[in-house]
Amino acid sequence: MRGTKRFRLARPIAAALGAVLLVGGLAACGNSDTGGDGGDDGKLVLGFSQVGAESGWRTANTTSVKEAAAAAGIELKFDDAQQKQENQIKAIRNFIQQKVDVIAFSPVVESGWDTVLKEARDADIPVILTDRAVDSADKTLYKTFLGSDFVKEGRLSGEWLIEDKKDATGDVNIVELQGTTGSAPANDRKKGFAEAIAADPKLKIVASQSGDFTRAGGKQVMEQFLKANPKIDVLFAHNDDMGLGALEAITAAGKVPGKDITIITIDAVRDGMQALADGKFNFIAECSPLLGPQLMDLAKKVHAGETVPPRIETEETTFTQEQAKEALPNRKY
Ligand code: AHR
């Protein structure tokens, strides 16, 4: 009797135990799946750490990445770092802990990534740099870089200015709105522009400061520039958003943007192109945010162990006011 009772009790316990073991076993398989062979549903899992939402370019880039992931059947774990490197490092560590298949990120700044990239490498998770580069000497810390040639964007801006001011007499005073301090686009665009204008000694940068790639930053710094410099002939802004912010400061100072002050920016997002078509900007060097589809393709390749080129540059162009008028109706972002 006692024995029978014990037996009767033991069966449900055994059944429950069995269920626990089965579920545990499946979960264990699921975990090892996410650790290299896709999520629970077999999809490749991509951890993506985005810089933030500082500009129209960034918004377009985020949309491109999200749409491309959905179209490619990739499970995207998206993190917004709000322009802070420590948030990106935290996000990458989370991705490593979650055993995603591939990590991609657009580094807020160039320096200080070696430790966390080594952690990803030790965990056997391939890393793709997108949009912005890092200055790590060890190139084995990431598989590839996908993005723009920022030095070229700065150089094209400077070359256009040389041509535009070729007949000017006397000094041409330039103020420069730099992007986020320490970021690859700020460093490289500054370098490319400075190298190009060095060919004409009358072109002089009289002030240069960061506006952090935001409209608010562009407006605030331009106000300071206008107060401190009685004669500003040219504004070179490292992105459209800072240029758009600066427009407000220039107008408030009683000057006519695009006429009293020649304005050069980078990106060619819709609002920037509109300002160019309206004659408020004078020239834009394009920087394409539509990196999503190529990024997904690369994620699949590095996950499959395929060799990919170490650097893949996006194709870009430049726009004058007339070209902006033509391009605007078909502009996607
Ligand atoms: O890294 C690309 C740059 O970042 C874009 O030019 C700028 O608009 C953005 O914030």
Side-chain angles (χ1 to χ4, degrees), residues 210-243:
S210 174
D212 211 14
F213 281 131
T214 65
R215 283 192 195 203
K219 180 173 182 241
Q220 197 206 327
V221 178
M222 191 68 204
E223 281 166 356
Q224 291 168 24
F225 284 163
L226 286 159
K227 272 186 203 141
N229 301 277
K231 179 180 175 293
I232 297 175
D233 303 302
V234 177
L235 163 65
F236 171 47
H238 287 191
N239 79 344
D240 288 344
D241 280 78
M242 291 190 295

PDB file of all heavy atoms in Angstrom, residues 210-243:
ATOM      1  N   SER A 210      33.459  72.642 -32.428  1.00  0.00           N
ATOM      2  CA  SER A 210      32.480  71.562 -32.600  1.00  0.00           C
ATOM      3  C   SER A 210      31.053  72.021 -32.312  1.00  0.00           C
ATOM      4  O   SER A 210      30.792  72.701 -31.330  1.00  0.00           O
ATOM      5  CB  SER A 210      32.816  70.396 -31.661  1.00  0.00           C
ATOM      6  OG  SER A 210      31.782  69.439 -31.738  1.00  0.00           O
ATOM      7  N   GLY A 211      30.146  71.604 -33.180  1.00  0.00           N
ATOM      8  CA  GLY A 211      28.705  71.801 -32.964  1.00  0.00           C
ATOM      9  C   GLY A 211      28.038  70.449 -32.770  1.00  0.00           C
ATOM     10  O   GLY A 211      26.815  70.335 -32.822  1.00  0.00           O
ATOM     11  N   ASP A 212      28.863  69.410 -32.579  1.00  0.00           N
ATOM     12  CA  ASP A 212      28.394  68.055 -32.226  1.00  0.00           C
ATOM     13  C   ASP A 212      27.422  67.442 -33.237  1.00  0.00           C
ATOM     14  O   ASP A 212      26.613  66.582 -32.873  1.00  0.00           O
ATOM     15  CB  ASP A 212      27.758  68.091 -30.826  1.00  0.00           C
ATOM     16  CG  ASP A 212      27.941  66.770 -30.089  1.00  0.00           C
ATOM     17  OD1 ASP A 212      28.766  65.949 -30.545  1.00  0.00           O
ATOM     18  OD2 ASP A 212      27.246  66.546 -29.082  1.00  0.00           O
ATOM     19  N   PHE A 213      27.462  67.895 -34.472  1.00  0.00           N
ATOM     20  CA  PHE A 213      26.616  67.353 -35.542  1.00  0.00           C
ATOM     21  C   PHE A 213      25.122  67.638 -35.357  1.00  0.00           C
ATOM     22  O   PHE A 213      24.283  67.024 -36.009  1.00  0.00           O
ATOM     23  CB  PHE A 213      26.814  65.832 -35.711  1.00  0.00           C
ATOM     24  CG  PHE A 213      28.046  65.433 -36.487  1.00  0.00           C
ATOM     25  CD1 PHE A 213      28.921  64.467 -35.991  1.00  0.00           C
ATOM     26  CD2 PHE A 213      28.323  65.988 -37.721  1.00  0.00           C
ATOM     27  CE1 PHE A 213      30.052  64.078 -36.711  1.00  0.00           C
ATOM     28  CE2 PHE A 213      29.446  65.606 -38.454  1.00  0.00           C
ATOM     29  CZ  PHE A 213      30.309  64.645 -37.943  1.00  0.00           C
ATOM     30  N   THR A 214      24.771  68.554 -34.425  1.00  0.00           N
ATOM     31  CA  THR A 214      23.343  68.821 -34.193  1.00  0.00           C
ATOM     32  C   THR A 214      22.955  70.227 -34.675  1.00  0.00           C
ATOM     33  O   THR A 214      23.798  71.123 -34.760  1.00  0.00           O
ATOM     34  CB  THR A 214      22.976  68.722 -32.695  1.00  0.00           C
ATOM     35  OG1 THR A 214      23.662  69.776 -31.993  1.00  0.00           O
ATOM     36  CG2 THR A 214      23.367  67.372 -32.105  1.00  0.00           C
ATOM     37  N   ARG A 215      21.649  70.411 -34.921  1.00  0.00           N
ATOM     38  CA  ARG A 215      21.161  71.749 -35.322  1.00  0.00           C
ATOM     39  C   ARG A 215      21.367  72.753 -34.197  1.00  0.00           C
ATOM     40  O   ARG A 215      21.809  73.872 -34.424  1.00  0.00           O
ATOM     41  CB  ARG A 215      19.664  71.680 -35.649  1.00  0.00           C
ATOM     42  CG  ARG A 215      19.433  71.071 -36.986  1.00  0.00           C
ATOM     43  CD  ARG A 215      18.003  71.267 -37.439  1.00  0.00           C
ATOM     44  NE  ARG A 215      17.787  70.347 -38.541  1.00  0.00           N
ATOM     45  CZ  ARG A 215      16.880  70.477 -39.470  1.00  0.00           C
ATOM     46  NH1 ARG A 215      16.059  71.495 -39.439  1.00  0.00           N
ATOM     47  NH2 ARG A 215      16.756  69.590 -40.448  1.00  0.00           N
ATOM     48  N   ALA A 216      21.026  72.314 -32.972  1.00  0.00           N
ATOM     49  CA  ALA A 216      21.155  73.219 -31.821  1.00  0.00           C
ATOM     50  C   ALA A 216      22.612  73.640 -31.656  1.00  0.00           C
ATOM     51  O   ALA A 216      22.913  74.826 -31.430  1.00  0.00           O
ATOM     52  CB  ALA A 216      20.649  72.529 -30.561  1.00  0.00           C
ATOM     53  N   GLY A 217      23.527  72.679 -31.795  1.00  0.00           N
ATOM     54  CA  GLY A 217      24.959  72.970 -31.664  1.00  0.00           C
ATOM     55  C   GLY A 217      25.416  73.928 -32.755  1.00  0.00           C
ATOM     56  O   GLY A 217      26.165  74.877 -32.511  1.00  0.00           O
ATOM     57  N   GLY A 218      24.948  73.708 -33.987  1.00  0.00           N
ATOM     58  CA  GLY A 218      25.326  74.562 -35.117  1.00  0.00           C
ATOM     59  C   GLY A 218      24.874  75.997 -34.893  1.00  0.00           C
ATOM     60  O   GLY A 218      25.623  76.947 -35.139  1.00  0.00           O
ATOM     61  N   LYS A 219      23.659  76.137 -34.395  1.00  0.00           N
ATOM     62  CA  LYS A 219      23.104  77.488 -34.166  1.00  0.00           C
ATOM     63  C   LYS A 219      23.910  78.213 -33.084  1.00  0.00           C
ATOM     64  O   LYS A 219      24.344  79.353 -33.272  1.00  0.00           O
ATOM     65  CB  LYS A 219      21.644  77.350 -33.730  1.00  0.00           C
ATOM     66  CG  LYS A 219      20.966  78.662 -33.457  1.00  0.00           C
ATOM     67  CD  LYS A 219      19.480  78.449 -33.204  1.00  0.00           C
ATOM     68  CE  LYS A 219      18.823  79.807 -32.969  1.00  0.00           C
ATOM     69  NZ  LYS A 219      18.221  79.955 -31.697  1.00  0.00           N
ATOM     70  N   GLN A 220      24.125  77.491 -31.991  1.00  0.00           N
ATOM     71  CA  GLN A 220      24.798  78.111 -30.840  1.00  0.00           C
ATOM     72  C   GLN A 220      26.238  78.534 -31.179  1.00  0.00           C
ATOM     73  O   GLN A 220      26.664  79.644 -30.874  1.00  0.00           O
ATOM     74  CB  GLN A 220      24.803  77.095 -29.702  1.00  0.00           C
ATOM     75  CG  GLN A 220      25.086  77.685 -28.348  1.00  0.00           C
ATOM     76  CD  GLN A 220      25.682  76.639 -27.426  1.00  0.00           C
ATOM     77  OE1 GLN A 220      25.354  75.457 -27.516  1.00  0.00           O
ATOM     78  NE2 GLN A 220      26.578  77.067 -26.558  1.00  0.00           N
ATOM     79  N   VAL A 221      26.967  77.644 -31.838  1.00  0.00           N
ATOM     80  CA  VAL A 221      28.369  77.967 -32.153  1.00  0.00           C
ATOM     81  C   VAL A 221      28.443  79.067 -33.222  1.00  0.00           C
ATOM     82  O   VAL A 221      29.296  79.955 -33.155  1.00  0.00           O
ATOM     83  CB  VAL A 221      29.150  76.698 -32.574  1.00  0.00           C
ATOM     84  CG1 VAL A 221      30.587  77.052 -32.954  1.00  0.00           C
ATOM     85  CG2 VAL A 221      29.149  75.674 -31.449  1.00  0.00           C
ATOM     86  N   MET A 222      27.514  79.032 -34.173  1.00  0.00           N
ATOM     87  CA  MET A 222      27.518  80.083 -35.212  1.00  0.00           C
ATOM     88  C   MET A 222      27.250  81.445 -34.589  1.00  0.00           C
ATOM     89  O   MET A 222      27.836  82.456 -35.012  1.00  0.00           O
ATOM     90  CB  MET A 222      26.481  79.756 -36.294  1.00  0.00           C
ATOM     91  CG  MET A 222      26.598  80.623 -37.531  1.00  0.00           C
ATOM     92  SD  MET A 222      28.124  80.290 -38.453  1.00  0.00           S
ATOM     93  CE  MET A 222      28.362  81.822 -39.333  1.00  0.00           C
ATOM     94  N   GLU A 223      26.371  81.485 -33.592  1.00  0.00           N
ATOM     95  CA  GLU A 223      26.116  82.767 -32.895  1.00  0.00           C
ATOM     96  C   GLU A 223      27.417  83.315 -32.308  1.00  0.00           C
ATOM     97  O   GLU A 223      27.722  84.501 -32.433  1.00  0.00           O
ATOM     98  CB  GLU A 223      25.084  82.559 -31.776  1.00  0.00           C
ATOM     99  CG  GLU A 223      23.651  82.486 -32.275  1.00  0.00           C
ATOM    100  CD  GLU A 223      22.671  81.938 -31.234  1.00  0.00           C
ATOM    101  OE1 GLU A 223      23.107  81.538 -30.121  1.00  0.00           O
ATOM    102  OE2 GLU A 223      21.462  81.879 -31.564  1.00  0.00           O
ATOM    103  N   GLN A 224      28.179  82.408 -31.689  1.00  0.00           N
ATOM    104  CA  GLN A 224      29.475  82.824 -31.105  1.00  0.00           C
ATOM    105  C   GLN A 224      30.433  83.299 -32.194  1.00  0.00           C
ATOM    106  O   GLN A 224      31.099  84.323 -32.042  1.00  0.00           O
ATOM    107  CB  GLN A 224      30.120  81.660 -30.359  1.00  0.00           C
ATOM    108  CG  GLN A 224      29.404  81.247 -29.090  1.00  0.00           C
ATOM    109  CD  GLN A 224      29.935  79.914 -28.566  1.00  0.00           C
ATOM    110  OE1 GLN A 224      31.063  79.529 -28.847  1.00  0.00           O
ATOM    111  NE2 GLN A 224      29.114  79.208 -27.815  1.00  0.00           N
ATOM    112  N   PHE A 225      30.490  82.555 -33.284  1.00  0.00           N
ATOM    113  CA  PHE A 225      31.376  82.938 -34.403  1.00  0.00           C
ATOM    114  C   PHE A 225      31.026  84.342 -34.886  1.00  0.00           C
ATOM    115  O   PHE A 225      31.897  85.170 -35.139  1.00  0.00           O
ATOM    116  CB  PHE A 225      31.211  81.982 -35.581  1.00  0.00           C
ATOM    117  CG  PHE A 225      31.866  80.625 -35.432  1.00  0.00           C
ATOM    118  CD1 PHE A 225      31.493  79.561 -36.261  1.00  0.00           C
ATOM    119  CD2 PHE A 225      32.860  80.404 -34.492  1.00  0.00           C
ATOM    120  CE1 PHE A 225      32.103  78.314 -36.151  1.00  0.00           C
ATOM    121  CE2 PHE A 225      33.469  79.148 -34.376  1.00  0.00           C
ATOM    122  CZ  PHE A 225      33.086  78.109 -35.210  1.00  0.00           C
ATOM    123  N   LEU A 226      29.723  84.591 -35.040  1.00  0.00           N
ATOM    124  CA  LEU A 226      29.283  85.885 -35.579  1.00  0.00           C
ATOM    125  C   LEU A 226      29.613  87.037 -34.635  1.00  0.00           C
ATOM    126  O   LEU A 226      29.951  88.136 -35.087  1.00  0.00           O
ATOM    127  CB  LEU A 226      27.772  85.845 -35.876  1.00  0.00           C
ATOM    128  CG  LEU A 226      27.383  85.042 -37.132  1.00  0.00           C
ATOM    129  CD1 LEU A 226      25.928  84.609 -37.071  1.00  0.00           C
ATOM    130  CD2 LEU A 226      27.649  85.835 -38.408  1.00  0.00           C
ATOM    131  N   LYS A 227      29.521  86.753 -33.345  1.00  0.00           N
ATOM    132  CA  LYS A 227      29.852  87.804 -32.364  1.00  0.00           C
ATOM    133  C   LYS A 227      31.353  88.110 -32.378  1.00  0.00           C
ATOM    134  O   LYS A 227      31.774  89.256 -32.289  1.00  0.00           O
ATOM    135  CB  LYS A 227      29.453  87.336 -30.953  1.00  0.00           C
ATOM    136  CG  LYS A 227      28.007  87.687 -30.636  1.00  0.00           C
ATOM    137  CD  LYS A 227      27.667  87.363 -29.189  1.00  0.00           C
ATOM    138  CE  LYS A 227      26.163  87.186 -29.067  1.00  0.00           C
ATOM    139  NZ  LYS A 227      25.766  86.116 -28.185  1.00  0.00           N
ATOM    140  N   ALA A 228      32.155  87.039 -32.490  1.00  0.00           N
ATOM    141  CA  ALA A 228      33.609  87.197 -32.350  1.00  0.00           C
ATOM    142  C   ALA A 228      34.314  87.612 -33.633  1.00  0.00           C
ATOM    143  O   ALA A 228      35.445  88.110 -33.592  1.00  0.00           O
ATOM    144  CB  ALA A 228      34.213  85.897 -31.838  1.00  0.00           C
ATOM    145  N   ASN A 229      33.660  87.409 -34.779  1.00  0.00           N
ATOM    146  CA  ASN A 229      34.341  87.676 -36.060  1.00  0.00           C
ATOM    147  C   ASN A 229      33.527  88.651 -36.911  1.00  0.00           C
ATOM    148  O   ASN A 229      32.495  88.269 -37.465  1.00  0.00           O
ATOM    149  CB  ASN A 229      34.536  86.365 -36.842  1.00  0.00           C
ATOM    150  CG  ASN A 229      35.356  85.356 -36.072  1.00  0.00           C
ATOM    151  OD1 ASN A 229      36.574  85.395 -36.072  1.00  0.00           O
ATOM    152  ND2 ASN A 229      34.667  84.457 -35.375  1.00  0.00           N
ATOM    153  N   PRO A 230      34.001  89.886 -37.036  1.00  0.00           N
ATOM    154  CA  PRO A 230      33.232  90.884 -37.797  1.00  0.00           C
ATOM    155  C   PRO A 230      33.101  90.536 -39.284  1.00  0.00           C
ATOM    156  O   PRO A 230      32.122  90.890 -39.920  1.00  0.00           O
ATOM    157  CB  PRO A 230      34.045  92.184 -37.607  1.00  0.00           C
ATOM    158  CG  PRO A 230      35.381  91.773 -37.056  1.00  0.00           C
ATOM    159  CD  PRO A 230      35.234  90.435 -36.425  1.00  0.00           C
ATOM    160  N   LYS A 231      34.066  89.809 -39.822  1.00  0.00           N
ATOM    161  CA  LYS A 231      33.994  89.493 -41.268  1.00  0.00           C
ATOM    162  C   LYS A 231      34.074  87.977 -41.469  1.00  0.00           C
ATOM    163  O   LYS A 231      35.134  87.361 -41.323  1.00  0.00           O
ATOM    164  CB  LYS A 231      35.144  90.184 -42.001  1.00  0.00           C
ATOM    165  CG  LYS A 231      35.179  89.912 -43.502  1.00  0.00           C
ATOM    166  CD  LYS A 231      36.369  90.642 -44.137  1.00  0.00           C
ATOM    167  CE  LYS A 231      36.577  90.346 -45.606  1.00  0.00           C
ATOM    168  NZ  LYS A 231      36.984  89.013 -45.964  1.00  0.00           N
ATOM    169  N   ILE A 232      32.893  87.381 -41.749  1.00  0.00           N
ATOM    170  CA  ILE A 232      32.875  85.941 -42.079  1.00  0.00           C
ATOM    171  C   ILE A 232      32.399  85.813 -43.525  1.00  0.00           C
ATOM    172  O   ILE A 232      31.305  86.266 -43.871  1.00  0.00           O
ATOM    173  CB  ILE A 232      31.923  85.155 -41.136  1.00  0.00           C
ATOM    174  CG1 ILE A 232      32.418  85.236 -39.686  1.00  0.00           C
ATOM    175  CG2 ILE A 232      31.806  83.692 -41.577  1.00  0.00           C
ATOM    176  CD1 ILE A 232      31.485  84.596 -38.665  1.00  0.00           C
ATOM    177  N   ASP A 233      33.229  85.209 -44.355  1.00  0.00           N
ATOM    178  CA  ASP A 233      32.863  85.063 -45.772  1.00  0.00           C
ATOM    179  C   ASP A 233      32.303  83.680 -46.084  1.00  0.00           C
ATOM    180  O   ASP A 233      31.503  83.520 -47.005  1.00  0.00           O
ATOM    181  CB  ASP A 233      34.105  85.295 -46.656  1.00  0.00           C
ATOM    182  CG  ASP A 233      34.719  86.659 -46.408  1.00  0.00           C
ATOM    183  OD1 ASP A 233      33.997  87.661 -46.577  1.00  0.00           O
ATOM    184  OD2 ASP A 233      35.903  86.725 -45.995  1.00  0.00           O
ATOM    185  N   VAL A 234      32.775  82.673 -45.326  1.00  0.00           N
ATOM    186  CA  VAL A 234      32.421  81.295 -45.654  1.00  0.00           C
ATOM    187  C   VAL A 234      32.149  80.504 -44.376  1.00  0.00           C
ATOM    188  O   VAL A 234      32.851  80.669 -43.377  1.00  0.00           O
ATOM    189  CB  VAL A 234      33.585  80.583 -46.416  1.00  0.00           C
ATOM    190  CG1 VAL A 234      33.250  79.125 -46.707  1.00  0.00           C
ATOM    191  CG2 VAL A 234      33.932  81.325 -47.698  1.00  0.00           C
ATOM    192  N   LEU A 235      31.134  79.640 -44.430  1.00  0.00           N
ATOM    193  CA  LEU A 235      30.922  78.656 -43.360  1.00  0.00           C
ATOM    194  C   LEU A 235      31.118  77.270 -43.962  1.00  0.00           C
ATOM    195  O   LEU A 235      30.479  76.927 -44.972  1.00  0.00           O
ATOM    196  CB  LEU A 235      29.495  78.768 -42.793  1.00  0.00           C
ATOM    197  CG  LEU A 235      29.017  77.557 -41.975  1.00  0.00           C
ATOM    198  CD1 LEU A 235      29.846  77.373 -40.701  1.00  0.00           C
ATOM    199  CD2 LEU A 235      27.532  77.693 -41.608  1.00  0.00           C
ATOM    200  N   PHE A 236      32.010  76.502 -43.365  1.00  0.00           N
ATOM    201  CA  PHE A 236      32.133  75.088 -43.734  1.00  0.00           C
ATOM    202  C   PHE A 236      31.603  74.285 -42.547  1.00  0.00           C
ATOM    203  O   PHE A 236      32.211  74.257 -41.478  1.00  0.00           O
ATOM    204  CB  PHE A 236      33.598  74.726 -44.034  1.00  0.00           C
ATOM    205  CG  PHE A 236      33.835  73.239 -44.207  1.00  0.00           C
ATOM    206  CD1 PHE A 236      33.002  72.477 -45.020  1.00  0.00           C
ATOM    207  CD2 PHE A 236      34.879  72.590 -43.554  1.00  0.00           C
ATOM    208  CE1 PHE A 236      33.203  71.113 -45.185  1.00  0.00           C
ATOM    209  CE2 PHE A 236      35.097  71.224 -43.710  1.00  0.00           C
ATOM    210  CZ  PHE A 236      34.256  70.489 -44.529  1.00  0.00           C
ATOM    211  N   ALA A 237      30.438  73.637 -42.734  1.00  0.00           N
ATOM    212  CA  ALA A 237      29.824  72.850 -41.654  1.00  0.00           C
ATOM    213  C   ALA A 237      29.995  71.366 -41.985  1.00  0.00           C
ATOM    214  O   ALA A 237      29.702  70.955 -43.114  1.00  0.00           O
ATOM    215  CB  ALA A 237      28.345  73.189 -41.525  1.00  0.00           C
ATOM    216  N   HIS A 238      30.429  70.584 -41.007  1.00  0.00           N
ATOM    217  CA  HIS A 238      30.695  69.162 -41.258  1.00  0.00           C
ATOM    218  C   HIS A 238      29.432  68.334 -41.497  1.00  0.00           C
ATOM    219  O   HIS A 238      29.538  67.151 -41.788  1.00  0.00           O
ATOM    220  CB  HIS A 238      31.477  68.557 -40.086  1.00  0.00           C
ATOM    221  CG  HIS A 238      32.908  68.981 -40.010  1.00  0.00           C
ATOM    222  ND1 HIS A 238      33.819  68.385 -39.187  1.00  0.00           N
ATOM    223  CD2 HIS A 238      33.594  69.945 -40.676  1.00  0.00           C
ATOM    224  CE1 HIS A 238      35.010  68.969 -39.323  1.00  0.00           C
ATOM    225  NE2 HIS A 238      34.893  69.918 -40.212  1.00  0.00           N
ATOM    226  N   ASN A 239      28.252  68.914 -41.283  1.00  0.00           N
ATOM    227  CA  ASN A 239      27.032  68.231 -41.752  1.00  0.00           C
ATOM    228  C   ASN A 239      25.909  69.235 -42.009  1.00  0.00           C
ATOM    229  O   ASN A 239      25.989  70.404 -41.617  1.00  0.00           O
ATOM    230  CB  ASN A 239      26.594  67.091 -40.823  1.00  0.00           C
ATOM    231  CG  ASN A 239      25.863  67.551 -39.570  1.00  0.00           C
ATOM    232  OD1 ASN A 239      25.903  68.711 -39.209  1.00  0.00           O
ATOM    233  ND2 ASN A 239      25.202  66.615 -38.909  1.00  0.00           N
ATOM    234  N   ASP A 240      24.869  68.760 -42.699  1.00  0.00           N
ATOM    235  CA  ASP A 240      23.736  69.625 -43.045  1.00  0.00           C
ATOM    236  C   ASP A 240      23.072  70.197 -41.802  1.00  0.00           C
ATOM    237  O   ASP A 240      22.699  71.369 -41.767  1.00  0.00           O
ATOM    238  CB  ASP A 240      22.665  68.814 -43.802  1.00  0.00           C
ATOM    239  CG  ASP A 240      23.078  68.458 -45.218  1.00  0.00           C
ATOM    240  OD1 ASP A 240      24.024  69.067 -45.743  1.00  0.00           O
ATOM    241  OD2 ASP A 240      22.433  67.561 -45.803  1.00  0.00           O
ATOM    242  N   ASP A 241      22.880  69.341 -40.797  1.00  0.00           N
ATOM    243  CA  ASP A 241      22.129  69.794 -39.614  1.00  0.00           C
ATOM    244  C   ASP A 241      22.777  70.998 -38.941  1.00  0.00           C
ATOM    245  O   ASP A 241      22.088  71.953 -38.567  1.00  0.00           O
ATOM    246  CB  ASP A 241      21.958  68.643 -38.610  1.00  0.00           C
ATOM    247  CG  ASP A 241      20.821  67.730 -39.032  1.00  0.00           C
ATOM    248  OD1 ASP A 241      21.038  66.916 -39.948  1.00  0.00           O
ATOM    249  OD2 ASP A 241      19.715  67.861 -38.473  1.00  0.00           O
ATOM    250  N   MET A 242      24.091  70.963 -38.777  1.00  0.00           N
ATOM    251  CA  MET A 242      24.750  72.126 -38.161  1.00  0.00           C
ATOM    252  C   MET A 242      24.606  73.347 -39.078  1.00  0.00           C
ATOM    253  O   MET A 242      24.404  74.465 -38.594  1.00  0.00           O
ATOM    254  CB  MET A 242      26.224  71.827 -37.893  1.00  0.00           C
ATOM    255  CG  MET A 242      26.432  70.796 -36.786  1.00  0.00           C
ATOM    256  SD  MET A 242      28.149  70.673 -36.278  1.00  0.00           S
ATOM    257  CE  MET A 242      28.919  70.036 -37.757  1.00  0.00           C
ATOM    258  N   GLY A 243      24.680  73.123 -40.382  1.00  0.00           N
ATOM    259  CA  GLY A 243      24.498  74.225 -41.335  1.00  0.00           C
ATOM    260  C   GLY A 243      23.097  74.808 -41.218  1.00  0.00           C
ATOM    261  O   GLY A 243      22.910  76.031 -41.251  1.00  0.00           O
TER     262      GLY A 243
END
